[in-house]
Amino acid sequence: MQARRLSIPECFEFTPRVFPDHRGRFVAPFQEEAFLKTVGHRLRLAQTNTSVSRRGAIRGVHFADTPPGQAKYIYCARGSLLDVVVDLRAGSPTFGEWTSVLLDSTEYKSVYLAEGLGHAFMALEDDTVMVYLCSEPYNPAAEHGINPMDADLALPWPHDIEPLLSEKDTDAPSLKEALEQGMLPRYDECVAYYEKLRAEG
């Protein structure tokens, strides 16, 4: 498995080997040894999620109160999607910046984003299946969102696909509003939490 550090700190792309034959294909999207070597600690697995989305569906930008936050290891099991990670950590050198990766069921690339980062994606095909490995269970009281159509963020959604959003994501605040309201994770607290995880192995 190959690993690549993305432009936002604590965000990584993993590319596994895919083994095709006359029956289909086999792939291991998550491999602990490669993850530990790259990230510096094991992935605590508390919950797995699966979403099935229509073409154009946007989910996000979602994040959780940190600590403990919710780290995510994500891959596309069917179809294709544009995955976007946004640095929402107030005080971060890359605050407000984003990075994106095309995830599909051909290469089976994965994205890992640490606690405190925001996550969103757009499905590029009908019946696109996204699988999430989450470090913490779902906690509604600690879950928040930023409007994925925030003009200041200018996320790279394809212009030729009509976006489909939930009412919750449509009504979410802009990044500027969330910062003013004190909703966002603090970079120093996130870094201290990452160091704690690495110290624990």
Side-chain angles (χ1 to χ4, degrees):
M1 173 176 275
Q2 296 180 339
R4 180 171 70 96
R5 186 183 301 271
L6 299 177
S7 59
I8 294 176
E10 306 300 331
C11 183
F12 302 90
E13 173 195 273
F14 292 88
T15 305
R17 289 185 63 191
V18 179
F19 299 91
D21 63 19
H22 64 283
R23 300 165 297 173
R25 62 174 71 98
F26 175 85
V27 63
F30 175 79
Q31 298 173 35
E32 184 179 54
E33 182 178 356
F35 182 89
L36 178 58
K37 180 179 178 181
T38 301
V39 180
H41 62 80
R42 288 182 165 82
L43 175 65
R44 177 175 179 268
L45 181 57
Q47 182 170 316
T48 62
N49 301 329
T50 300
S51 65
V52 182
S53 301
R54 294 173 54 191
R55 184 175 190 264
I58 293 177
R59 299 180 188 267
V61 180
H62 298 153
F63 66 100
D65 291 337
T66 305
Q70 189 185 62
K72 297 175 181 175
Y73 188 95
I74 298 159
Y75 65 93
C76 180
R78 184 173 68 214
S80 61
L81 57 94
L82 180 66
D83 198 69
V84 178
V85 178
V86 184
D87 193 343
L88 303 179
R89 301 167 298 185
S92 168
T94 54
F95 177 73
E97 296 182 17
W98 53 263
T99 188
S100 64
V101 177
L102 177 65
L103 302 182
D104 60 33
S105 53
T106 301
E107 292 187 292
Y108 288 93
K109 289 182 179 181
S110 301
V111 169
Y112 170 74
L113 58 146
E115 297 84 353
L117 297 175
H119 178 254
F121 74 89
M122 174 188 271
L124 305 179
E125 303 176 40
D126 284 336
D127 295 322
T128 288
V129 176
M130 163 87 84
V131 177
Y132 315 67
L133 310 182
C134 303
S135 66
E136 296 289 335
Y138 176 63
N139 179 3
E143 294 285 330
H144 309 285
I146 302 296
N147 191 314
M149 309 309 287
D150 181 355
D152 289 336
L153 277 180
L155 299 182
W157 307 127
H159 296 297
D160 60 339
I161 301 179
E162 182 70 24
L164 303 173
L165 280 72
S166 70
E167 184 176 345
K168 180 180 178 181
D169 289 341
T170 300
D171 293 340
S174 66
L175 180 62
K176 181 179 179 181
E177 291 169 337
L179 180 62
E180 291 172 348
Q181 295 168 18
M183 292 174 54
L184 301 178
R186 286 176 45 187
Y187 180 67
D188 57 345
E189 292 182 349
C190 290
V191 170
Y193 191 65
Y194 307 150
E195 291 173 353
K196 176 177 179 286
L197 291 174
R198 291 190 175 106
E200 293 172 350

